[in-house]
Amino acid sequence: MKRLFACCSLGLALCMPNAVSADETVIGYIKTINDQTTIDESSGPIKASLGSPIHVGNVIKTDQNGAAGVTLKDNTILSIGPNTELKIEAYQFEPQQDKLQLNASLLKGTLHYISGVIAKLKPEAVTVKTPTGVIAVRGTRFLVKVEE
């Protein structure tokens, strides 16, 4: 019995570094979803569902009736409306090392943004780009629409 326990403990210990490093790349999760929403990853598009992880570089897309809510690690809330494409360009949330950054691009559609901890601690580190300009966030909420 002790050998079995030792083997299981060793196996678990060997797996832990991989599990931790995989979680480090997750910056948030899909918290609400309506109709068709996809996440474009480097490996290709996947259908989003409740709890789908979000990573840097992902493009979240909704169809004409779709909507999605994303909560990032710093409690930033991104509510994405119908026929929208939002790309997470950069994200860092390590307050102890003063590594704070959130850069997103709204390629089309609507976005309702509610600030999280990053915007409260370092407002200049948060930007949302649109095809015609850049929104500098200063610890607030806003709604933006990009028409095609």
Side-chain angles (χ1 to χ4, degrees), residues 77-137:
I77 297 173
L78 306 169
S79 298
I80 302 162
N83 204 21
T84 295
E85 292 183 20
L86 176 72
K87 182 175 184 178
I88 307 297
E89 303 278 357
Y91 186 86
Q92 289 185 319
F93 183 59
E94 298 177 45
Q96 295 83 9
Q97 285 82 37
D98 195 36
K99 292 182 179 177
L100 301 167
Q101 182 180 24
L102 170 56
N103 302 124
S105 293
L106 182 63
L107 306 171
K108 68 177 189 175
T110 56
L111 170 69
H112 182 217
Y113 170 94
I114 299 175
S115 294
V117 175
I118 293 174
K120 290 179 175 79
L121 294 177
K122 194 173 183 182
E124 67 276 9
V126 180
T127 60
V128 177
K129 294 179 186 172
T130 70
T132 57
V134 177
I135 300 168
V137 177

Side-chain angles (χ1 to χ4, degrees), residues 2-15:
K2 287 183 179 179
R3 280 187 168 178
L4 178 63
F5 180 73
C7 287
C8 289
S9 297
L10 178 61
L12 183 62
L14 292 173
C15 292

Side-chain angles (χ1 to χ4, degrees), residues 2 9-10 12 16 24-26 33 42 53-55 58-61 69 92 101-102 111 117 123 126 131 135 139 143:
K2 287 183 179 179
S9 297
L10 178 61
L12 183 62
M16 289 300 284
E24 288 176 353
T25 60
V26 175
I33 195 165
S42 59
I54 303 297
H55 304 89
N58 284 168
V59 178
I60 305 160
K61 295 180 178 179
Q92 289 185 319
Q101 182 180 24
L102 170 56
L111 170 69
V117 175
V126 180
I135 300 168
L143 177 65

